[in-house]
Amino acid sequence: MDYYSKQISDLIASLSMLPGIGEKTAQRLAFHILSMPIDQVEKLSGSIISARKNVRYCKVCATLTDQDICPICSNPKRDHSTIMVVEDTRDLAAYEKTGEYHGVYHVLHGAISPMQGIGPDDIKLKELMTRLSSEQVNEVIIATNASLEGETTAMYISRLIKPTGIKVSRIASGVPVGGDLEYIDEVTLLRALEGRKEL
Amino acid sequence: MDYYSKQISDLIASLSMLPGIGEKTAQRLAFHILSMPIDQVEKLSGSIISARKNVRYCKVCATLTDQDICPICSNPKRDHSTIMVVEDTRDLAAYEKTGEYHGVYHVLHGAISPMQGIGPDDIKLKELMTRLSSEQVNEVIIATNASLEGETTAMYISRLIKPTGIKVSRIASGVPVGGDLEYIDEVTLLRALEGRKEL
């Protein structure tokens, strides 16, 4: 890429290492950055490095946060006896956006996937079990993804927890709200049928 | 976005100001950045700020570069008597990638667009005319885009230059190589017909 000067080439190369950003998009972003006011560029560059440097796992639920204990775990108004287990911080955010869940979370940072060589020890499962033995917990809601890995992880966790006597539940699988039956896959349709509720 | 800690929210907000990056993509990029090795993140952050701080216009051709005079303008092997006029640095790069053009360039940084209020004084046209009067130039090849703005700019420039006696040409418009006539718009087909060459 010697048709660009070194600084521009370096910027394009760095940007194109991000997921979903190919060389053309990286070029477009780079030239946009070059035309941005310097204070905005400083803010962008600063927020990248400071987020990476300061963000760590919450000591309780393992979500990504910039404090030792995240705002949810340190909030006394939350129901600390209900723990929702999610695969990553984005899934936590997805449930927080509903505004209707008042319990706390546990973030696994992955799901068990024998195909990808990710076993139970590679996700924050030990931390969950330690938490269950030391805190007063009534229910564990497993909200891993409805993928093969998510289901495997849910099964594995429920088998681990059941002997402790704590209630374990799994979020429902079925037709999404607004979904048109015609376009829904068979497995989802069967799940929706199995999970039917009396009206 | 208080479901993310401040540092993460700031990062997502900064990223989503980039063109073509919505909130979901910004989230995905942010969490990828948080999982990247710290030295790569430092490189990304550093390249953003240093490119923005050090890149300026080449004093001859106005392309974006990190030197006073860009590598193309300072290369004695290039044909300095042929100037290709392009809209921006990316267009210059596109022609450089062909490896077959050996002249130099002039970058306008835009095109005349009365609709968007961009007039001849808002692009680097004065700089081009100064260059033509002080350098020994044989031909000016106008390679602005084949859009309405690009064509307007090409017409305007050719009228400015013609009185000086310097040869002015315009890159050909027609069916792109590999193009299927069936899917080409009518204007392009007419241009291809008008620009036909004897075999």
Side-chain angles (χ1 to χ4, degrees):
Chain A
M1 287 201 294
D2 52 353
Y3 21 88
Y4 290 128
S5 65
K6 191 176 174 316
Q7 305 256 7
I8 304 181
S9 302
D10 284 354
L11 177 56
I12 294 173
S14 291
L15 290 171
S16 56
M17 284 186 347
L18 295 173
I21 309 279
E23 204 194 307
K24 286 269 172 189
T25 311
Q27 269 183 38
R28 192 160 47 86
L29 293 178
F31 282 96
H32 179 84
I33 288 170
L34 293 177
S35 69
M36 268 160 66
I38 186 87
D39 58 313
Q40 272 187 35
V41 177
E42 274 167 352
K43 213 178 135 197
L44 171 65
S45 162
S47 64
I48 287 173
I49 196 73
S50 89
R52 177 62 184 80
K53 279 197 173 153
N54 297 313
V55 167
R56 59 207 118 150
Y57 296 133
C58 166
K59 285 191 173 161
V60 180
C61 74
T63 191
L64 291 169
T65 179
D66 48 13
Q67 288 139 37
D68 273 349
I69 312 248
C70 77
I72 294 171
C73 288
S74 54
N75 184 348
K77 287 185 185 153
R78 306 286 299 219
D79 170 12
H80 289 258
S81 68
T82 307
I83 298 180
M84 179 183 280
V85 178
V86 292
E87 287 184 26
D88 62 37
T89 302
R90 272 170 292 179
D91 299 337
L92 176 159
Y95 258 102
E96 280 300 283
K97 280 178 198 171
T98 68
E100 296 290 330
Y101 176 69
H102 305 293
V104 292
Y105 295 90
H106 189 85
V107 181
L108 294 174
H109 292 284
I112 297 170
S113 169
M115 295 286 282
Q116 292 174 57
I118 301 170
D121 293 341
D122 301 316
I123 59 178
K124 306 245 171 231
L125 203 49
K126 218 167 49 235
E127 290 81 350
L128 174 64
M129 298 315 290
T130 315
R131 229 177 131 180
L132 294 182
S133 61
S134 61
E135 294 174 29
Q136 185 58 44
V137 177
N138 294 329
E139 183 175 357
V140 173
I141 303 167
I142 307 180
T144 50
N145 291 334
S147 61
L148 183 62
E149 292 78 13
E151 294 291 352
T152 311
T153 310
M155 288 289 281
Y156 189 91
I157 297 177
S158 75
R159 278 189 205 159
L160 271 188
I161 299 178
K162 275 209 177 129
T164 66
I166 297 168
K167 185 177 163 193
V168 189
S169 61
R170 175 92 175 103
I171 54 166
S173 208
V175 180
V177 177
D180 193 334
L181 286 200
E182 192 179 352
Y183 299 110
I184 308 280
D185 65 287
E186 292 83 355
V187 182
T188 303
L189 289 178
L190 283 177
R191 286 283 180 83
L193 185 64
E194 283 162 22
R196 69 189 180 277
K197 280 186 198 161
E198 210 168 320
L199 294 175
Chain B
M1 285 200 297
D2 53 352
Y3 20 88
Y4 291 127
S5 64
K6 193 177 173 313
Q7 306 257 6
I8 304 181
S9 301
D10 285 354
L11 177 57
I12 294 172
S14 292
L15 290 171
S16 55
M17 285 186 346
L18 295 173
I21 308 279
E23 203 194 306
K24 286 269 173 189
T25 312
Q27 269 184 37
R28 192 160 46 87
L29 293 178
F31 283 96
H32 179 84
I33 288 170
L34 293 177
S35 69
M36 270 162 65
I38 186 85
D39 59 313
Q40 272 187 34
V41 176
E42 275 167 351
K43 214 177 137 198
L44 171 64
S45 162
S47 64
I48 287 173
I49 196 72
S50 89
R52 176 63 183 81
K53 279 197 173 153
N54 296 314
V55 167
R56 59 207 118 152
Y57 296 133
C58 166
K59 285 190 173 162
V60 180
C61 75
T63 191
L64 290 168
T65 178
D66 48 14
Q67 288 140 37
D68 273 350
I69 312 253
C70 77
I72 294 171
C73 287
S74 54
N75 184 349
K77 287 186 184 153
R78 305 289 296 223
D79 169 11
H80 289 257
S81 69
T82 307
I83 297 180
M84 179 183 281
V85 178
V86 291
E87 288 184 27
D88 62 37
T89 302
R90 273 169 292 179
D91 299 337
L92 176 159
Y95 259 101
E96 280 301 282
K97 280 179 197 169
T98 67
E100 296 290 329
Y101 175 69
H102 306 294
V104 292
Y105 295 91
H106 189 84
V107 181
L108 295 175
H109 293 284
I112 297 169
S113 168
M115 294 285 284
Q116 292 174 54
I118 301 170
D121 293 340
D122 301 317
I123 59 177
K124 307 247 171 226
L125 203 50
K126 218 167 48 237
E127 290 81 350
L128 174 64
M129 298 314 291
T130 315
R131 228 176 132 183
L132 295 182
S133 61
S134 61
E135 295 174 28
Q136 184 59 45
V137 178
N138 293 331
E139 183 176 357
V140 173
I141 303 167
I142 307 179
T144 50
N145 291 335
S147 61
L148 184 63
E149 291 78 14
E151 295 291 353
T152 311
T153 310
M155 289 289 282
Y156 189 91
I157 297 177
S158 76
R159 279 190 205 159
L160 272 188
I161 298 178
K162 273 206 176 133
T164 67
I166 297 169
K167 185 177 162 192
V168 188
S169 60
R170 174 91 176 101
I171 54 165
S173 206
V175 179
V177 177
D180 194 333
L181 285 202
E182 192 180 351
Y183 298 110
I184 307 279
D185 65 288
E186 292 83 356
V187 183
T188 303
L189 289 177
L190 284 177
R191 287 284 180 83
L193 185 64
E194 282 161 22
R196 68 190 181 277
K197 282 186 196 160
E198 211 171 318
L199 295 175

